Amino acid sequence: MNIWGRILKIAKWSVEITAPKHEKCIICVAPHTSNWDFILGLAAYKSLGRKANFLMKEFWFFFPLKYILKAFGGIPVPAKKKSKSVTQEVVNLFKTKEYVNLAVTPEGTRSLRQNWRTGFLYIAYETKVPVQLGIIDYRNKRIIIKDEFTPTGDIQVDMDYVKKYYSNYLFAAKYPEKFSV
């Protein structure tokens, strides 16, 4: 067990990641209601010796924090950038890099949001990578990634599938009142 696994064990969290390891995939993580989601998800993935990438506001990539965030797989996103160009940049990243396991939070915010972002589905469909479905379950202190699917290209059908999946975890959030499918 590495240091990440030890930290989670001391905190009494279990890691239930049984989805296959891929060189390229998207890890959809919900519910997302706390900054702790990032830390717990990163620790869980690293406890298995895996590396994840994540998108984060460029604002956070200042000296010296930018070196730490990039070492952990961070990809800065400029605040003024249009979402379509970010999506295309990530598609290009998947096409040019050998290893990309991109963790995304479709809610896009820690606040209550009914309409989830769909860029991850476009990216997965265009790059032909699977989407793994991850859960940070505060109620039972579990980090889970066991299921995955391949998007059909019909964004509404795919998003309905994702939301239906997460409807089984409405009370898993640290702040359930901020989570809705």
Side-chain angles (χ1 to χ4, degrees), residues 102-122:
L102 181 65
V104 298
T105 55
E107 297 155 276
T109 179
R110 293 173 311 278
S111 302
L112 182 64
R113 182 181 177 119
Q114 300 290 330
N115 298 317
W116 289 11
R117 296 177 187 245
T118 58
F120 74 101
L121 293 169
Y122 286 104

Side-chain angles (χ1 to χ4, degrees), residues 3-181:
I3 191 165
W4 299 98
R6 285 188 184 101
I7 290 168
L8 289 168
K9 187 174 181 177
I10 289 167
K12 296 185 173 30
W13 279 81
S14 66
V15 176
E16 300 173 23
I17 300 178
T18 57
K21 181 179 180 183
H22 296 288
E23 295 300 309
K24 295 182 181 182
C25 70
I26 291 178
I27 308 153
C28 176
V29 182
H32 177 48
T33 64
S34 167
N35 283 331
W36 284 105
D37 302 341
F38 167 73
I39 295 163
L40 290 165
L42 180 67
Y45 218 61
K46 287 199 164 287
S47 76
L48 298 177
R50 297 182 185 184
K51 181 178 179 177
N53 303 96
F54 55 92
L55 302 174
M56 186 177 266
K57 293 177 188 173
E58 186 178 55
F59 167 83
W60 292 106
F61 287 79
F62 57 83
F63 179 83
L65 189 57
K66 68 180 176 182
Y67 297 107
I68 296 166
L69 291 173
K70 285 185 178 185
F72 283 142
I75 302 167
V77 177
K80 301 283 185 198
K81 199 152 228 178
K82 292 182 179 163
S83 63
K84 282 191 177 186
S85 60
V86 170
T87 300
Q88 191 55 51
E89 280 185 32
V90 175
V91 165
N92 293 340
L93 181 75
F94 270 94
K95 289 180 177 180
T96 59
K97 298 287 183 185
E98 287 185 38
Y99 183 93
V100 182
N101 279 206
L102 181 65
V104 298
T105 55
E107 297 155 276
T109 179
R110 293 173 311 278
S111 302
L112 182 64
R113 182 181 177 119
Q114 300 290 330
N115 298 317
W116 289 11
R117 296 177 187 245
T118 58
F120 74 101
L121 293 169
Y122 286 104
I123 294 164
Y125 181 72
E126 190 164 329
T127 60
K128 307 292 185 246
V129 301
V131 175
Q132 296 187 339
L133 301 169
I135 302 106
I136 311 275
D137 180 358
Y138 285 87
R139 176 183 271 183
N140 299 299
K141 296 185 94 169
R142 302 179 305 161
I143 297 114
I144 307 162
I145 306 174
K146 61 181 179 175
D147 297 307
E148 70 178 25
F149 78 102
T150 302
T152 65
D154 184 327
I155 298 303
Q156 189 58 54
V157 167
D158 293 338
M159 184 56 79
D160 289 345
Y161 175 83
V162 169
K163 285 187 166 189
K164 183 177 181 190
Y165 181 86
Y166 286 108
S167 69
N168 295 316
Y169 297 96
L170 290 174
F171 295 99
K174 182 164 181 66
Y175 303 106
E177 70 278 4
K178 293 182 178 182
F179 181 60
S180 174
V181 293

